[in-house]
Amino acid sequence: MSHLQPLGWMIGISSLILFAASSLRHALFQSTALDLAVFDQWIYLASQGLQPISSFFGFHLLGDHAAFILYAIALLYKIYPNVHWLFAVQALALAVGAVPIYALSLQSGLNITYARAISLSYLLYPALFNINFFTDFRPEAIAVPALLWAMWAGIAGRIGQLMFAVILALSCKDILSLTVIALGLWLWLIQHRRWYGLGCIFIGTAWYLITIVYLVPLLRSGQAGGVIFYRSLGDSPKQILWNIITNPSLIAGKFFVLDTILYYFLLILPVIIGLHWRKIAVILPALPMLLLNILSDYWAQRDLIHHYSLLIFPFIIVWLIKSISYYQQHNKRLWLKPKILIICSIIAFLLLAKYEFFVTRYLSSLPNLRSLYTAVSLVQPEGGILTTSRIAPHVSQRPMVKLTDINLDLLPKSDNAFKYILLDANTNNKREFSSTFINQLQINKDFRLTYKQDNIYLFTKQ
């Protein structure tokens, strides 16, 4: 077991770095309501035995993407309710993905040195670092090691581990049912594990029908999640799928526009030196997410920063594993040593990882940081609050949290739900509230100005 010690160190150090990056972003008041405050509120309410209904969206925790895994995370909030649990869970889940990468490398016939190098390439993949801190928290991060382990278990014929990994992945997000179906096709057609593949296809299809077709629309008043990003293709999952099948010309152009071609390139660039086209079939499980990103009207689904590539890049690392195994079997690219892989991964990280955001973007609140923390400390756990997106994750553990809006010239009719109104007038986001809103509050007899410093305003209901 001594050969696992370096892997353990890599995972431990990576977990700490990922956790520190997310925590620092949050400490600088750069985390946002979407998605951190939303998940923090849902999980907090579930941990307290309250109805986990989002005051941001107005629907149940499971109405987002049927992420049942959030109930398991709520057990941690029972120990102590703190948003840093989410950072820790995500950091550990992403780092632990190196374990199945290591196992898949050995399973493919690579030696320990190559297995370590590829595991490090996974941990240095820029999207892993970027997604971890930039999108605050996503439950599907837990699905990354689960799906990679499902690949290993399927090849190894470990039916129990395969089913456990698949179920764990499905509990993270409803749309992963498509990934599981694609995994089943890969096991059946490429790995010739027919019954394992058919099992994944059956479970994935059943989960799709239960969650996307029935449960999520039920909890969202008939609306399916994520459809807003595909308005050019239809207004429902059924209509979108039908248009894709019956009108291929509608989507054909999306595959070859400039930003999509650049997206393909960015995905493979960090490990392009080791990839071989003959082994590209191994990314079949990534195709549903890749297709969704390509077809989306939302540009952010095609970069290495947002979470939309989270369930794509791990399979590119598996493609790297299979490619290097192919080279060794056919005595090709003998110069591609583990050190070369590591050096290229470091260069890719330095070029594409967005660590500079902590200097170029996230220091904007530094001059008034002390005032922000003071104002937040004056907000008691009881009572609803109206605030801005970057403050919301610091006060989201309560049933009622709402965000300000530029159209909110006067307090909404539900103003009796708010005990506090906390505003940062230094914000560059002019859509959050109008310049006259603070003046209106100052003359409002129902609220009094409790704190004002560095353009931070806290109003408390009389």
Side-chain angles (χ1 to χ4, degrees), residues 12-55:
I13 293 172
S14 179
S15 298
L16 289 175
I17 292 173
L18 295 176
F19 175 75
S22 297
S23 298
L24 178 58
R25 183 176 190 255
H26 182 66
L28 292 171
F29 275 78
Q30 298 296 327
S31 53
T32 59
L34 304 178
D35 295 304
L36 186 58
V38 173
F39 283 115
D40 185 48
Q41 183 189 46
W42 267 329
I43 295 171
Y44 172 77
L45 294 176
S47 73
Q48 302 302 306
L50 302 172
Q51 276 279 52
I53 305 294
S54 170
S55 59

Side-chain angles (χ1 to χ4, degrees), residues 14-28 30-32 35-37 40 43 73 76-77 82-95 131-138 141 393-394:
S14 179
S15 298
L16 289 175
I17 292 173
L18 295 176
F19 175 75
S22 297
S23 298
L24 178 58
R25 183 176 190 255
H26 182 66
L28 292 171
Q30 298 296 327
S31 53
T32 59
D35 295 304
L36 186 58
D40 185 48
I43 295 171
I73 298 175
L76 297 173
Y77 273 53
N82 191 290
V83 72
H84 288 84
W85 280 118
L86 304 186
F87 302 148
V89 167
Q90 178 164 275
L92 185 59
L94 292 175
I131 293 169
N132 170 72
F133 76 86
F134 191 76
T135 54
D136 295 316
F137 172 76
R138 299 297 306 184
H394 295 264

Side-chain angles (χ1 to χ4, degrees), residues 12 31 39 51 55 65 75 79 92 94 105 138 159 179 194 207 211 236 277 280 311 321 336-337 350 409 411-412 440:
S31 53
F39 283 115
Q51 276 279 52
S55 59
H65 288 290
L75 298 177
I79 299 173
L92 185 59
L94 292 175
S105 300
R138 299 297 306 184
I159 182 64
T179 302
R194 179 183 179 185
W207 195 248
T211 57
S236 69
W277 65 271
I280 196 173
L311 275 304
I321 293 171
L336 191 57
K337 303 297 183 183
L350 293 175
D409 291 327
L411 284 176
Q440 293 171 355

Side-chain angles (χ1 to χ4, degrees), residues 147 166 170 174-189 196-209 212 284-286 288:
L147 288 168
V166 164
L170 290 174
D174 52 4
I175 200 64
L176 290 180
S177 55
L178 299 180
T179 302
V180 169
I181 292 172
L183 174 65
L185 289 171
W186 176 76
L187 287 171
W188 180 13
L189 301 177
Y196 293 176
L198 288 174
C200 289
I201 293 171
F202 174 79
I203 293 173
T205 303
W207 195 248
Y208 179 92
L209 295 174
I212 295 179
L284 196 157

Side-chain angles (χ1 to χ4, degrees), residues 107-320:
Q107 188 182 58
S108 298
L110 300 180
N111 62 35
I112 291 174
T113 306
Y114 270 109
R116 288 173 182 167
I118 296 173
S119 298
L120 187 56
S121 295
Y122 163 82
L123 293 172
L124 288 172
Y125 192 90
L128 184 147
F129 178 79
N130 296 342
I131 293 169
N132 170 72
F133 76 86
F134 191 76
T135 54
D136 295 316
F137 172 76
R138 299 297 306 184
E140 57 264 39
I142 300 170
V144 170
L147 288 168
L148 290 171
W149 194 258
M151 295 187 81
W152 178 91
I155 297 171
R158 305 291 183 87
I159 182 64
Q161 294 185 40
L162 172 63
M163 290 299 100
F164 176 80
V166 164
I167 292 170
L168 178 59
L170 290 174
S171 72
C172 297
K173 194 172 185 178
D174 52 4
I175 200 64
L176 290 180
S177 55
L178 299 180
T179 302
V180 169
I181 292 172
L183 174 65
L185 289 171
W186 176 76
L187 287 171
W188 180 13
L189 301 177
I190 309 300
Q191 294 298 314
H192 306 293
R193 293 284 186 177
R194 179 183 179 185
W195 294 111
Y196 293 176
L198 288 174
C200 289
I201 293 171
F202 174 79
I203 293 173
T205 303
W207 195 248
Y208 179 92
L209 295 174
I210 292 170
T211 57
I212 295 179
V213 175
Y214 174 72
L215 181 61
V216 171
L218 176 68
L219 297 174
R220 294 178 66 143
S221 302
Q223 297 295 320
V227 173
I228 189 175
F229 298 135
Y230 303 91
R231 291 298 189 194
S232 62
L233 299 176
D235 296 324
S236 69
K238 183 178 179 180
Q239 188 178 22
I240 291 169
L241 183 60
W242 179 252
N243 284 332
I244 290 173
I245 295 172
T246 61
N247 190 6
S249 62
L250 189 65
I251 66 171
K254 291 178 177 284
F255 288 90
F256 303 106
V257 295
L258 183 59
D259 76 320
T260 303
I261 294 173
L262 178 61
Y263 179 50
Y264 299 147
F265 180 67
L266 287 175
L267 283 171
I268 64 174
L269 180 60
V271 291
I272 194 172
I273 192 172
L275 300 179
H276 195 287
W277 65 271
R278 288 184 180 273
K279 295 299 175 180
I280 196 173
V282 77
I283 69 167
L284 196 157
L287 293 186
M289 295 300 106
L290 181 61
L291 181 63
L292 288 173
N293 290 350
I294 293 170
L295 298 181
S296 174
D297 303 327
Y298 184 36
W299 61 269
Q301 289 191 229
R302 292 178 291 276
D303 62 30
L304 298 188
I305 302 176
H306 295 82
H307 66 276
Y308 302 101
S309 298
L310 191 57
L311 275 304
I312 297 175
F313 81 82
F315 298 105
I316 294 176
I317 303 297
V318 181
W319 182 11
L320 175 67

